[in-house]
Amino acid sequence: MSTSETSKSAPPPSDQEQPRIRREDFDPDRAESLARLDAMRRAAFQRIRQAPDAGQLARRRSLLGFAKWALPGLALVLLSSIAAWPEISHLLNQNRAALKEMAQLRVESGNMEQATYRGLDAHDHLYMITARTTHQQGPDRVDLVDPVADIQLSGNSWAHIRSDRGVYMQHEQTLTLDDHVVLYRDDGLLMNGPSADLDLKADVIASRDWVHAEGPFGRQDAQGYFLDQHAGIMQFTGPGLTVRNDDNGPPSAAARLHLQGLKTEK
């Protein structure tokens, strides 16, 4: 075999053996698509646009009016929040003092230190009860150690009463005090006794134990007392000793006339 025959190239493949390359963006139905788009454009141009009626115009006006006030209002709220944020941050920082005070309270199995209870009586007068330590006995009863009650009375007057132990019934608004009960009122009344029962709602204090009282009227020792602070009633019960301040002073006019009548009869 000759060299020319061995170097002769192979015949090219036929159309069936190799697929023809076609452009992907070529649309054979382009004329039909253009005609369809032209028809849609002509239909849009031929469509008659109707003018809005009175109802639609009113709705648009209301929407524009709402946007006219709502958007500036929203902007004002945002600006106010930005301006007020430093003050809010300052108030949050002030809560540290309250948290520090709450840290002094220790609650363990119903026990609390430096507790405070506030309430109103039947005449909307404020009273406040504080105690060195308290122990919660159920949902109503609270046992107190070194309780102190400050009571607001009529006419901007007040009373202060304390003892070594006490029991506070929260729902009934009653306070029972025991051991070294001392009552002081701003009119100068001072009372000492071993026990006392307080109806904080009715503003009444009573006791069946002995009591020693001192005040502008003098001194009084009795086996019990009843004190209605709203009605201004103070009663001592049982046998006792009364020393009035006017007993040591000069006799009254009626007493002088009585003495003169006794001398005349003699």
Side-chain angles (χ1 to χ4, degrees):
M1 183 180 292
S2 63
T3 307
S4 61
E5 292 178 355
T6 57
S7 62
K8 186 180 293 184
S9 62
S14 62
D15 295 341
Q16 296 179 355
E17 296 177 356
Q18 183 178 0
R20 299 178 61 181
I21 300 174
R22 300 183 61 176
R23 293 178 55 181
E24 296 179 354
D25 59 345
F26 178 75
D27 187 3
D29 299 331
R30 185 176 182 184
E32 183 180 354
S33 300
L34 291 176
R36 186 167 58 253
L37 292 175
D38 185 63
M40 294 174 61
R41 184 169 58 251
R42 290 176 180 276
F45 288 150
Q46 292 177 1
R47 186 180 303 166
I48 299 175
R49 184 178 180 182
Q50 296 180 356
D53 56 6
Q56 294 177 348
L57 290 176
R59 285 193 295 271
R60 291 182 182 180
R61 290 194 192 96
S62 61
L63 182 60
L64 290 176
F66 175 76
K68 179 181 178 182
W69 292 101
L71 294 178
L74 180 60
L76 181 62
V77 170
L78 293 177
L79 292 176
S80 300
S81 62
I82 295 174
W85 176 249
E87 186 66 22
I88 296 174
S89 178
H90 178 66
L91 293 176
L92 293 176
N93 292 330
Q94 283 184 342
N95 290 335
R96 295 179 181 177
L99 294 176
K100 184 177 180 181
E101 183 178 355
M102 292 181 63
Q104 298 177 356
L105 301 178
R106 178 167 50 88
V107 180
E108 295 179 357
S109 65
N111 294 331
M112 184 180 297
E113 295 183 356
Q114 305 299 330
T116 302
Y117 302 91
R118 295 181 175 88
L120 295 174
D121 62 8
H123 308 285
D124 293 334
H125 295 153
L126 179 66
Y127 67 84
M128 181 177 66
I129 302 173
T130 59
R132 183 169 57 86
T133 59
T134 64
H135 181 72
Q136 188 79 30
Q137 298 279 5
D140 189 19
R141 173 172 173 170
V142 181
D143 293 341
L144 311 174
V145 177
D146 293 338
V148 177
D150 293 291
I151 306 171
Q152 182 184 6
L153 307 177
S154 301
N156 295 326
S157 58
W158 53 268
H160 176 90
I161 185 169
R162 59 182 174 84
S163 67
D164 293 343
R165 296 182 296 109
V167 175
Y168 177 47
M169 306 299 291
Q170 301 181 75
H171 296 164
E172 294 80 0
Q173 292 182 271
T174 60
L175 179 63
T176 302
L177 301 177
D178 292 305
D179 297 338
H180 302 96
V181 179
V182 179
L183 168 67
Y184 179 75
R185 208 164 58 182
D186 64 344
D187 58 357
L189 175 64
L190 178 64
M191 303 176 66
N192 294 272
S195 67
D197 296 321
L198 283 75
D199 188 342
L200 298 169
K201 188 173 183 179
D203 209 0
V204 172
I205 304 175
S207 176
R208 295 183 179 180
D209 292 324
W210 65 266
V211 61
H212 175 76
E214 296 183 5
F217 64 90
R219 297 190 304 272
Q220 177 70 51
D221 292 307
Q223 290 186 349
Y225 65 92
F226 174 83
L227 183 60
D228 188 339
Q229 302 190 97
H230 178 70
I233 299 174
M234 182 170 57
Q235 296 178 348
F236 294 96
T237 61
L241 175 64
T242 304
V243 178
R244 298 181 60 87
N245 288 336
D246 55 2
D247 292 343
N248 299 325
S252 62
R256 288 196 300 268
L257 292 175
H258 180 66
L259 292 175
Q260 291 178 0
L262 292 176
K263 293 179 180 179
T264 304
E265 291 179 358
K266 293 181 180 179

